[in-house]
Amino acid sequence: QVQLLESGGDSVQAGGGSLRLSCAASGDTASSYCMAWFRVPPLSGAVLEGVATVDSEGTIAYSESVRGRFILSRDNSKNALYLQMNTLKPEDTGMYFCAARQGDFGCALSSVYYAIWGRGTRVTVSS
């Protein structure tokens, strides 16, 4: 099965700050997987919040909190998933995780459907 490695997390200022997160997949062809980004805000008790998902056909879904600001994309030629984060807010602070599941059934913003996870990359947005 695929293994995931996130990168791109950093500390930025709110308002004009932007970041691009990357998730590199290895060990299998990621194009057949449903892939997603989740985040864990600080002081949330490790609650995983769904950010965005993309299925094998390229259908993308966003959470209400990021729709219009974040852009999810996948590059199957590079076996990679990206999250362009614009107009960052302090409430976007957290640990961001890439996740994957085989097949599109359960390709949703709920972490219970995903068995494959990266180690995360930290995003800090200061006001």
Side-chain angles (χ1 to χ4, degrees):
Q1 66 180 18
V2 72
Q3 292 89 49
L4 306 173
L5 180 65
E6 304 93 334
S7 63
D10 205 343
S11 297
V12 297
Q13 292 281 335
S18 294
L19 285 174
R20 187 192 194 209
L21 304 184
S22 298
C23 174
S26 61
D28 199 358
T29 303
S31 60
S32 64
Y33 287 70
C34 161
M35 299 188 73
W37 285 99
F38 288 83
R39 65 187 181 188
V40 178
L43 306 178
S44 69
V47 174
L48 282 159
E49 175 188 342
V51 176
T53 66
V54 57
D55 67 16
S56 64
E57 296 187 358
T59 301
I60 296 173
Y62 296 96
S63 69
E64 284 289 339
S65 62
V66 307
R67 187 176 296 125
R69 299 187 298 121
F70 290 10
I71 301 171
L72 181 68
S73 62
R74 69 191 302 171
D75 186 337
N76 292 332
S77 69
K78 296 182 178 179
N79 230 23
L81 182 73
Y82 305 102
L83 185 68
Q84 177 66 41
M85 308 164 65
N86 301 319
T87 318
L88 284 160
K89 304 175 181 180
E91 50 264 43
D92 294 317
T93 293
M95 198 74 173
Y96 282 70
F97 295 90
C98 181
R101 61 169 286 116
Q102 289 182 304
D104 290 337
F105 177 78
C107 191
L109 288 169
S110 174
S111 61
V112 299
Y113 294 110
Y114 298 84
I116 304 166
W117 294 84
R119 293 189 174 186
T121 185
R122 187 173 301 280
V123 172
T124 303
V125 185
S126 56
S127 57

